[in-house]
Amino acid sequence: QVQLVESGGGLVQPGGSLRLSCAASGGIFSIYVMGWYRQAPGKQRELVATITNGGYTNYADSVKGRFTISRDNNKNTIYLQMSSLRPEDTAVYYCNRKGLGTPDYWGQGTQVTVSS
């Protein structure tokens, strides 16, 4: 079955940087829209960024200019490069594979904490 495994989360100070990775298996990775979502305590899961099979990207207004999503189809991996991190970026970050007339797939999540 499809598996998505995130890594790279941790504790970082405000203004710092962090890179998240998501390794995918069990599907034809290159044809799918991929994305990053996040969920903070007491809040709904929200879209952070998406990237199409052709490499086109979209970002939430709250992260635009600070975060960059990318994909490496040869490695079946997507990345989220985060810079100028703020305390409000603290959340569990989830990798997502958009369905093609089928259900979406989700990773287990990785914790990002931005704090002094």
Side-chain angles (χ1 to χ4, degrees):
Q1 195 62 41
V2 173
Q3 287 186 304
L4 305 173
V5 180
E6 302 97 332
S7 62
L11 175 65
V12 64
Q13 292 188 344
S17 298
L18 208 59
R19 189 181 76 158
L20 307 182
S21 300
C22 171
S25 63
I28 307 172
F29 176 82
S30 62
I31 71 173
Y32 290 98
V33 174
M34 303 292 295
W36 289 97
Y37 293 71
R38 67 186 182 186
Q39 187 169 23
K43 299 180 65 177
Q44 293 283 86
R45 189 172 299 184
E46 65 176 353
L47 174 70
V48 176
T50 60
I51 184 166
T52 71
N53 58 329
Y56 294 96
T57 59
N58 286 288
Y59 297 91
D61 288 343
S62 59
V63 308
K64 192 173 181 65
R66 301 187 299 120
F67 291 10
T68 301
I69 187 172
S70 60
R71 69 191 297 160
D72 186 337
N73 288 336
N74 292 326
K75 295 182 178 180
N76 291 352
T77 301
I78 67 166
Y79 305 92
L80 186 68
Q81 179 66 50
M82 304 181 291
S83 61
S84 301
L85 283 162
R86 307 164 179 168
E88 54 263 41
D89 294 319
T90 296
V92 178
Y93 284 71
Y94 296 92
C95 183
N96 169 269
R97 191 191 81 172
K98 193 70 62 182
L100 293 172
T102 57
D104 290 0
Y105 286 90
W106 296 89
Q108 84 289 347
T110 185
Q111 177 71 47
V112 173
T113 302
V114 185
S115 180
S116 298

